[in-house]
Amino acid sequence: MARESTCRFAILGMLCREPMSGYDLRSAIERSVGHFWQESYGNLYPTLERMAEERLVELEPEERSRGGRIRKVYRVAAAGRKALAEWLRRPVLPHVERNELLLKLFFGAQVGPADSLAQVERSRAEAEGLLAVLRLIDEDVRHARKDDPEFAYQHLSIRAGLLGLEAHLRWCDEAREALGRMKPTTGSTKKRRAR
């Protein structure tokens, strides 16, 4: 339920920018906040329907797509704006981020440094790709939106993504060095003596 409730605020925030269909919302999320927040169609559509029932969002007059299908376009309702503002003022609860790479490295002695190094290298390559995309987004946002009052707020999230990815790449380099110095293991760690 916590995930769904946060999903609804991501939707409300996006709809405050402009009315959108579920497909448009997913694309907008991917293009703008995708480096730190993602939503699946499987979560978006049911949440949109519940929000419409709760009158947080409203359907625009029916519109037909190019293929002739009816396209549902949602806009934020007054109650939705109020709910979003209340949520934005609430403190963020601390949480522990789930990180599968770190969990695998924690138990890496079970397979040895070569397998752990392969995990780090994959993560590094992925981070380099994300960093390149985020740098392009940052460049576009800085050049196109300086007069937009939302720019400064949006740019803060982009900078957090950039700095986080740069730090991750530095950590990957450290991990690469440390794993390169380790001796191969036999596939399982020795049992520790009881103290």
Side-chain angles (χ1 to χ4, degrees):
M1 188 63 174
R3 177 156 166 69
E4 179 195 335
S5 65
T6 308
C7 173
R8 65 179 47 215
F9 297 115
I11 290 170
L12 288 170
M14 287 295 166
L15 292 180
C16 280
R17 302 171 85 195
E18 65 179 296
M20 290 184 243
S21 67
Y23 177 83
D24 296 335
L25 271 165
R26 174 83 162 85
S27 297
I29 287 170
E30 225 170 75
R31 285 189 320 270
S32 60
V33 297
H35 64 284
F36 64 88
W37 190 265
Q38 296 183 356
E39 290 297 341
S40 67
Y41 288 118
N43 199 31
L44 273 175
Y45 286 107
T47 303
L48 272 169
E49 288 177 19
R50 278 191 290 278
M51 292 170 65
E53 289 169 10
E54 296 168 19
R55 299 191 174 157
L56 296 173
V57 297
E58 301 165 342
L59 278 169
E60 294 264 298
E62 284 186 2
E63 173 182 314
R64 295 225 177 249
S65 68
R66 291 180 196 164
R69 296 178 62 186
I70 294 176
R71 191 168 170 263
K72 289 184 178 181
V73 176
Y74 296 85
R75 68 174 173 260
V76 69
R81 284 185 190 278
K82 182 180 177 192
L84 178 63
E86 288 171 1
W87 177 76
L88 288 169
R89 290 183 181 108
R90 274 190 244 148
V92 176
L93 298 175
H95 72 283
V96 174
E97 184 178 327
R98 295 169 67 98
N99 186 316
E100 188 176 345
L101 174 63
L102 294 183
L103 188 61
K104 286 183 176 190
L105 287 179
F106 187 85
F107 297 115
Q110 299 300 318
V111 292
D115 290 314
S116 294
L117 180 58
Q119 294 286 1
V120 169
E121 295 294 0
R122 278 191 288 274
S123 181
R124 190 180 202 298
E126 184 179 309
E128 284 176 331
L130 289 171
L131 184 60
V133 169
L134 200 51
R135 283 180 174 149
L136 289 174
I137 292 170
D138 181 47
E139 192 69 24
D140 287 346
V141 167
R142 280 190 292 120
H143 289 315
R145 313 212 38 211
K146 285 200 178 201
D147 59 337
D148 185 335
E150 293 184 0
F151 165 76
Y153 298 97
Q154 293 169 2
H155 196 248
L156 287 172
S157 70
I158 293 169
R159 289 294 300 155
L162 287 169
L163 295 174
L165 286 167
E166 289 167 358
H168 181 71
L169 290 173
R170 285 193 305 275
W171 173 84
C172 285
D173 291 341
E174 281 185 29
R176 180 192 280 163
E177 266 186 52
L179 290 164
R181 290 190 302 266
M182 290 181 189
K183 293 180 182 171
T185 57
T186 59
S188 65
T189 54
K190 294 179 181 176
K191 292 183 181 178
R192 295 183 182 194
R193 293 181 187 164
R195 293 180 186 196

